[in-house]
Amino acid sequence: MKTHFSRSLFCAFVFFSASVFSQTAEIVKLLNDNLKNDLEIKIEYNHFGDTIKIVKPYTVIGDILKVELEYQGENGHYIEQQEVPLNKITAIGKDINVILDTEESAVKINRKYIGKSSAEAEYNGVYNMFFTGIRFQKHNKHFGEALQKAFEKAGYKIELGSWYD
């Protein structure tokens, strides 16, 4: 009897874990697909004055969402890694960028500057917003809604904030 109960409990845990994993996989897929699509958009005027390249696409390891992007433009040339625990994300919204709002100081940022002296070569900090790099797509509130649903299915409740094009 005890073995049967243990086996049932184990099967339930495996099923739940697989379900949560598949939903974090959906979060990653949505972010990577939309970032890739965004980077393919050719615009006449880039008011950001930079270009973005994907160094390491979005991943979830444990419950940590990570991405590594390369920026090159008016503000310099650097590679930035951002990471945030999924349970610290409170909302998704769009102003100039698609942003994941988080609890205070939940986003870890590591920025390595290229071509700077060693004293200025690296920045490490924390922030309360996770900038996704998705910024040129218009009329894409459906992306925010889909991402909100993927978070919910993975067991994380986030709000859909303001969405401005």
Side-chain angles (χ1 to χ4, degrees):
M1 172 95 171
K2 188 175 180 180
T3 304
H4 179 68
F5 177 74
S6 297
R7 221 179 258 155
S8 297
L9 189 61
F10 176 75
C11 288
F13 174 76
V14 169
F15 177 75
F16 175 76
S17 297
S19 173
V20 169
F21 172 76
S22 67
Q23 291 310 311
T24 59
E26 181 63 18
I27 292 168
V28 167
K29 181 179 179 354
L30 284 166
L31 287 166
N32 282 323
D33 288 352
N34 277 273
L35 178 59
K36 183 177 180 249
N37 290 342
D38 199 79
L39 296 179
E40 292 174 355
I41 295 174
K42 304 295 181 212
I43 60 166
E44 192 172 314
Y45 174 71
N46 178 354
H47 62 274
F48 295 98
D50 65 4
T51 58
I52 298 176
K53 292 181 185 172
I54 301 169
V55 177
K56 292 182 184 173
Y58 281 96
T59 58
V60 172
I61 299 172
D63 73 338
I64 307 292
L65 176 67
K66 297 181 178 190
V67 69
E68 191 169 327
L69 303 173
E70 179 179 356
Y71 294 84
Q72 187 168 2
E74 296 171 1
N75 293 327
H77 184 191
Y78 57 91
I79 295 174
E80 180 175 271
Q81 180 182 32
Q82 293 185 93
E83 61 180 57
V84 64
L86 292 171
N87 65 349
K88 302 292 184 188
I89 298 171
T90 59
I92 180 172
K94 182 179 178 188
D95 191 348
I96 295 174
N97 294 278
V98 175
I99 298 169
L100 301 175
D101 290 318
T102 70
E103 293 177 9
E104 192 66 35
S105 302
V107 180
K108 291 182 185 176
I109 299 169
N110 175 267
R111 190 177 295 154
K112 294 180 182 172
Y113 289 92
I114 299 168
K116 294 271 188 178
S117 68
S118 61
E120 305 171 319
E122 193 164 341
Y123 165 80
N124 290 295
V126 293
Y127 204 53
N128 63 336
M129 290 188 281
F130 187 105
F131 291 88
T132 63
I134 301 166
R135 53 195 188 175
F136 294 127
Q137 295 177 53
K138 302 292 182 207
H139 311 293
N140 63 338
K141 189 172 183 178
H142 61 279
F143 162 62
E145 293 164 344
L147 193 57
Q148 180 188 31
K149 285 179 186 173
F151 268 90
E152 188 174 318
K153 287 180 180 177
Y156 304 99
K157 177 138 177 64
I158 66 170
E159 299 296 319
L160 183 61
S162 301
W163 204 270
Y164 302 109
D165 281 322

